[in-house]
Amino acid sequence: MDTTNAIHDITQGMQELNFPEEIIQDILIRLPVKSLIKCISVCKTWRSMIINQSFIRAHLNDCDSHLLLLHKISAMEKLTFFGQRVVSKIIEEVHSVYYDNQAFDQYNSKIEFPVSVQRKKHNFCIRVVGTCDGLVCLADDMFDYHYNFFIWNPAIRKLVTLPKPSVRLKTHREYDASIGFGFDARTNDYKVVRVVSLLEQPGTPTLAEVYSLATGTWSSLGRVSPTCLVTARATSNVFLNGVLHWPVDCRTNSGDLCSFILAFDLGKEVFSKIFMPKVIQRNFGLGLRLSISGDRKSIALFAVNTRRRCDEDCFLDIWVMKEYGRKESWTRLITLGPPGPERFLPTGPICFRKSGEVLLLVTSGTDKSRMELVSLDLVSKQLKKLGISGYQSSDGDFYTESLLLLDKTDAESY
């Protein structure tokens, strides 16, 4: 008996027993997303119940996420730009979900990527900005000035295409920009925030604008304060406890550049500054990447030497802010490099895992083109191979399946 027939039989049984609606809802809310999608076509009552916003939110709150979404790219050419791995001449691009457990089992087969997004892209690949509650924010903004931004739910195969933002090359001339994605609990809304440094205006002001999924529109936030400069390093961002974070730069009173973390509270719509470790603040030879700590209580920082002359200069520092917002609590957990006996070179820090281990993309042996995904135990300093190799770039983030966008009439199905 297939799943659809089984669900139909269960439905008939519930109707014959005259189950109260609240009991039916309590049963349905425990089902996985794929089963609920099938339940929608069973009867009008169930459809109305499942696509209701309160049911979608309750189902999300009942989920326990132990998954990681990986975006893996195989390419003919690659380079490192401000600590970020950039690829061109794409051979293969894969989105897949894994259990965040010791075995690192694959949760599902390769996720089908929306064809409409691939057709619209202008850059080498569509980058993953971030994930939140099963939604994935995508951007086509790696090098060229283009304005294709998307909010995607791979579990239910739905997609929202964002309208063009207000700050563009045509309106403000050359700029550097980055975006972040998260959830505003005050308004129960998912938002995309874009910070833009105007390179051809006096003082290089940085503006901000925010997109609301609820209204489907962009609105201006005006000038960003504290004053900052967005660079390519700001493509790395994290969302934690209602706040977005980017690594940015600023000019001191003496005219020198200094790095800090720009934070934006989605509910209050207020920017603030979080200081980096002192040894990093003025070291512009480092590529910086933000992450969320394994316990999801604070932020972490990966610092990679991007100006190395040879493999012996290669190193990776991993920092965690033990108490969120308190600059004195920055703690360096480990320094990797120079390469040890197995000749592992840490070329791409990806993210923390729930266990506290860190996912890394490394080169192994004498073949520098051979990349492997490994998990680093910060206590034992041991690297565990995960059986995933052949990719020149990879990004990852915590993930959970959800029904979000199911009730959005303007969302594209594929």
Side-chain angles (χ1 to χ4, degrees), residues 13 73 163 201 403 413:
I73 301 173
Q201 292 195 17
L403 296 168
S413 298

Side-chain angles (χ1 to χ4, degrees), residues 47-86:
R47 173 182 172 79
S48 177
M49 183 185 299
I50 293 169
I51 67 172
N52 185 276
Q53 183 60 236
S54 60
F55 181 93
I56 293 172
R57 178 58 54 182
H59 181 267
L60 175 64
N61 293 338
D62 199 54
C63 291
D64 185 18
S65 171
H66 292 279
L67 303 174
L68 285 170
L69 175 68
L70 291 187
H71 177 210
K72 299 167 291 185
I73 301 173
S74 177
M76 294 176 64
E77 295 180 1
K78 62 183 182 298
L79 58 93
T80 301
F81 188 61
F82 278 90
Q84 311 298 319
R85 296 188 63 78
V86 181

Side-chain angles (χ1 to χ4, degrees), residues 229 249-252 254-259 281-284:
L229 181 66
D249 300 325
C250 69
R251 291 210 174 273
T252 63
S254 61
D256 297 328
L257 281 174
C258 182
S259 299
Q281 289 178 11
R282 297 176 187 270
N283 190 340
F284 294 95

Side-chain angles (χ1 to χ4, degrees), residues 14 47 69 178 182 184-185 188 190 195 230 240 242 262 300 331 339 350 385 407:
M14 286 182 178
R47 173 182 172 79
L69 175 68
S178 186
D184 179 359
N188 198 33
Y190 292 87
V195 286
V230 175
L240 177 70
L262 179 68
T331 304
I350 297 175
K385 296 181 181 180
D407 60 331

Side-chain angles (χ1 to χ4, degrees), residues 119-331:
R119 287 174 177 168
K120 292 176 183 177
K121 77 175 182 182
H122 295 274
N123 287 274
F124 300 123
C125 66
I126 304 290
R127 71 181 182 94
V128 174
V129 174
T131 66
C132 184
D133 294 342
L135 297 180
V136 183
C137 183
L138 305 170
D140 179 18
D141 65 349
M142 187 64 76
F143 278 126
D144 293 338
Y145 291 113
H146 290 288
Y147 311 99
N148 293 326
F149 304 115
F150 310 91
I151 296 175
W152 172 42
N153 186 334
I156 64 171
R157 295 162 55 92
K158 276 187 171 287
L159 177 85
V160 170
T161 301
L162 277 60
K164 286 184 179 180
S166 299
V167 181
R168 305 194 296 273
L169 180 66
K170 186 177 180 179
T171 58
H172 292 75
R173 305 188 71 176
E174 290 191 7
Y175 62 81
D176 279 334
S178 186
I179 65 174
F181 175 61
F183 177 65
D184 179 359
R186 288 192 176 191
T187 58
N188 198 33
D189 190 10
Y190 292 87
K191 295 180 177 180
V192 176
V193 178
R194 187 167 178 256
V195 286
V196 188
S197 290
L198 306 178
L199 303 180
E200 296 190 34
Q201 292 195 17
T204 320
T206 297
L207 308 181
E209 51 189 341
V210 58
Y211 169 84
S212 160
L213 182 61
T215 65
T217 59
W218 290 92
S219 58
S220 174
L221 296 171
R223 283 203 178 200
V224 173
S225 179
T227 302
C228 65
L229 181 66
V230 175
T231 66
R233 293 204 280 193
T235 56
S236 159
N237 73 92
V238 294
F239 173 71
L240 177 70
N241 297 333
V243 181
L244 286 166
H245 307 78
W246 298 267
V248 296
D249 300 325
C250 69
R251 291 210 174 273
T252 63
N253 292 334
S254 61
D256 297 328
L257 281 174
C258 182
S259 299
F260 69 93
I261 295 172
L262 179 68
F264 179 72
D265 188 307
L266 284 175
K268 298 177 181 178
E269 294 198 342
V270 172
F271 285 97
S272 60
K273 176 188 290 189
I274 296 177
F275 288 95
M276 290 186 183
K278 284 188 177 180
V279 296
I280 291 178
Q281 289 178 11
R282 297 176 187 270
N283 190 340
F284 294 95
L286 298 178
L288 303 179
R289 183 182 182 89
L290 290 175
S291 181
I292 299 175
S293 59
D295 60 10
R296 302 196 189 189
K297 293 181 179 179
S298 193
I299 53 178
L301 182 64
F302 301 124
V304 184
N305 180 14
T306 60
R307 294 181 181 174
R308 60 178 185 261
R309 290 167 293 182
C310 62
D311 292 345
E312 300 305 317
D313 295 330
C314 174
F315 73 84
L316 165 66
D317 280 346
I318 301 177
W319 297 76
V320 166
M321 184 175 252
K322 296 283 188 177
E323 297 178 43
Y324 178 79
R326 184 170 171 263
K327 63 181 180 180
E328 295 83 6
S329 70
W330 278 112
T331 304

